[in-house]
Amino acid sequence: VANSTRIDGVIGVEIDEALIVFDQPEQSRVAGRLNVGGVQMMAGPLAQQIITGVNQLKSISNPLATQDNPPVNQTLINMPPQTIGFKVERGYVSHDRLFMEIDRAQVVTSGRVSLAGQLELVAQVPLDPRWLGRDLQGLAGQPVTLQIDGTLSRPSLDSNSVRNVITQLGAQAVQSSAENYLQQQINRGLDSIFGR
């Protein structure tokens, strides 16, 4: 949500424990739940990094598909109603399993942010069957992990993780094609032996 240009929705907070140390905030301890009643927002810098990763994943089956996507800073993000547990401890705010939908892609984030704004986040994106070629449909639903670091104002997506996933999927597509070809040849051989 940081630096988002527009946010519409309802968010509430329930605090279970709060110990605030004003002169040493890193020693503060807070635990509770963030209650999201449904939120829509335009992408801020952090969400833009996630969108970049999602767009790279979409290009697996069709490299031209990302040309149809709206500009990243105009992408609408939906957060469905949900409750997210959070903690402030040892100078970090951590959360687990925040769900959002970005351009029909389901994204789940978890991780932590330091009080100074340093990011240590992970976004998991299940592979959508629309992004996969025929040979990779068996991978639909498999989660892909995107690492995000940097700061709130300058987040950075680890592009190596996306490249590794695309390389791995490409290798699996080649293997699947080879296995399909081999199976076809075996079936033809069996058909000719048994006169089918």
Side-chain angles (χ1 to χ4, degrees):
V1 178
N3 300 319
S4 181
T5 57
R6 188 191 93 199
I7 302 172
D8 295 318
V10 178
I11 298 176
V13 176
E14 293 179 53
I15 304 292
D16 296 328
E17 171 190 4
L19 171 66
I20 309 296
V21 182
F22 289 103
D23 56 343
Q24 294 180 317
E26 66 281 352
Q27 292 184 7
S28 296
R29 197 170 64 246
V30 181
R33 288 167 304 286
L34 186 66
N35 297 313
V36 176
V39 171
Q40 290 187 333
M41 63 182 177
M42 300 308 282
L46 178 55
Q48 289 176 9
Q49 293 299 308
I50 296 171
I51 293 167
T52 298
V54 168
N55 287 343
Q56 289 174 343
L57 292 173
K58 284 181 178 181
S59 72
I60 292 170
S61 65
N62 184 358
L64 302 176
T66 54
Q67 293 177 358
D68 298 334
N69 292 325
V72 170
N73 60 356
Q74 295 178 12
T75 302
L76 185 65
I77 298 170
N78 292 304
M79 293 173 61
Q82 60 189 298
T83 299
I84 304 112
F86 73 89
K87 286 184 183 177
V88 178
E89 195 171 37
R90 296 187 192 121
Y92 286 90
V93 180
S94 60
H95 79 281
D96 192 33
R97 302 194 56 78
L98 183 143
F99 292 89
M100 66 182 86
E101 185 177 278
I102 301 172
D103 192 25
R104 295 180 301 183
Q106 304 296 317
V107 179
V108 181
T109 66
S110 59
R112 64 188 196 161
V113 181
S114 76
L115 295 178
Q118 295 291 325
L119 301 173
E120 296 176 21
L121 298 176
V122 171
Q124 288 197 318
V125 182
L127 290 172
D128 189 299
R130 294 169 295 179
W131 309 340
L132 303 170
R134 187 185 61 203
D135 295 334
L136 294 175
Q137 287 298 307
L139 300 174
Q142 178 179 321
V144 173
T145 301
L146 306 173
Q147 303 282 341
I148 302 165
D149 55 19
T151 65
L152 281 172
S153 59
R154 295 188 64 119
S156 174
L157 175 68
D158 178 9
S159 57
N160 286 334
S161 62
V162 176
R163 261 190 248 115
N164 290 342
V165 166
I166 291 173
T167 300
Q168 179 184 10
L169 292 176
Q172 288 175 346
V174 169
Q175 180 182 356
S176 176
S177 293
E179 288 172 358
N180 288 341
Y181 177 76
L182 184 59
Q183 187 62 46
Q184 289 172 355
Q185 295 307 313
I186 290 171
N187 287 344
R188 283 186 189 151
L190 291 174
D191 287 347
S192 65
I193 291 172
F194 294 111
R196 289 189 246 168

